[in-house]
Amino acid sequence: MPQKLKRRTFLKRIFGTFLTVLGLGSGGYFYAKRIEPSLLEINKLEIKHSLIPNSFNGIKIVQFSDTHLGFHYNLNQLKNLVKKINHLQPDIIIFTGDLLDEPNKYKEINKVAPILQQLKANMGKYCIYGNHDHGGYGSEIYKNLMELSNFTVLLNESLRIKQNDGSFISLLGIDDQMLGKPDLSLAMKQVTEDSFKLLLSHAPDIADEASAYQIHWQLSGHSHGGQVKIPFIGALVIPPFAKNYPEGFYSIGTSNPLSLYVNRGIGTTRLPFRFMAKPEITVFTLVSAKTD
């Protein structure tokens, strides 16, 4: 039996066992497969810092992640997601990796970019690699697809997001930690010390290293929030590089701490279930602490 099939069978048995223990049975199975994966949450947070220029007050960043298109997530669902994101009227859109579950096997690749092109953000759309974007010989497929969709792909590099008055924040993006070659020092090379620094990393756990670079905020995905969580036990499976920080907000370090937010993502992988880990879009509003 192929290793991938063995793993899915093993996970499915574990999931079924816990549903039985909890007395959920077929009803719980139906909920975890059909209901919760469609219960999209929109979570709102402030990104507040003294180095954010006053001209960025109220700027809205929308993050989405881990669609895993092709694995129980289809083009119609992606179209609906695009409509929901546009309804939020973002100034900046960020995608933190894992667009396609298996890039080289996806049969409708030519239909994806026209959908993602519909995402509107007047200050730009930016993305990074996830492990599935590299997997299945997908690196070039993903890069070409996202650039065709008018996203800027950040690969161990930075750029300045500017306002008309010349003020700016620094946006950094690094490669995936599992299948890529992340290089924080390279990404930091052109970043000025006195700018607000926002890091995009698919893998959350690199935050421990990023905190040493005086990065102020990090946005990540990858974990799916555990995807399937059991009360009093926790997540059944948490992927590598998301074990320290699997979901939500964290403050890392004592002096000048790094703020990390881990988005639960949109789709599923390995198994088509979500339980106590609803899919998520995150809306961040920038606030300059100077206004206090």
Side-chain angles (χ1 to χ4, degrees), residues 164-177:
N164 291 333
D165 64 358
S167 61
F168 65 91
I169 61 173
S170 295
L171 182 67
L172 302 86
I174 57 171
D175 203 358
D176 173 64
Q177 200 170 6

Side-chain angles (χ1 to χ4, degrees), residues 15-16 19-20 23-33:
F15 183 67
L19 288 178
T20 302
L24 298 175
S26 60
Y29 184 94
F30 179 81
Y31 172 82
K33 187 171 184 180

Side-chain angles (χ1 to χ4, degrees), residues 79-95:
K79 289 177 184 177
N80 288 331
L81 177 67
V82 166
K83 289 178 183 177
K84 288 176 181 177
I85 291 174
N86 282 339
H87 182 71
L88 295 168
Q89 298 182 305
D91 298 292
I92 298 166
I93 293 175
I94 285 171
F95 178 69

Side-chain angles (χ1 to χ4, degrees), residues 134-206:
H134 280 308
Y137 304 98
S139 302
E140 287 302 313
I141 295 172
Y142 176 74
K143 182 176 185 293
N144 293 336
L145 179 54
M146 296 308 280
E147 289 179 347
L148 188 60
S149 303
N150 303 317
F151 276 78
T152 298
V153 182
L154 293 171
L155 184 62
N156 297 325
E157 58 191 309
S158 68
L159 53 77
R160 293 179 175 183
I161 299 179
K162 298 180 180 179
Q163 290 283 37
N164 291 333
D165 64 358
S167 61
F168 65 91
I169 61 173
S170 295
L171 182 67
L172 302 86
I174 57 171
D175 203 358
D176 173 64
Q177 200 170 6
M178 185 182 293
L179 296 181
K181 296 178 180 178
D183 190 332
L184 272 166
S185 61
L186 182 60
M188 286 288 294
K189 203 166 186 179
Q190 304 298 324
V191 178
T192 57
E193 185 176 342
D194 60 348
S195 66
F196 175 77
K197 305 168 191 66
L198 175 61
L199 172 67
L200 310 181
S201 169
H202 183 66
D205 287 357
I206 207 167

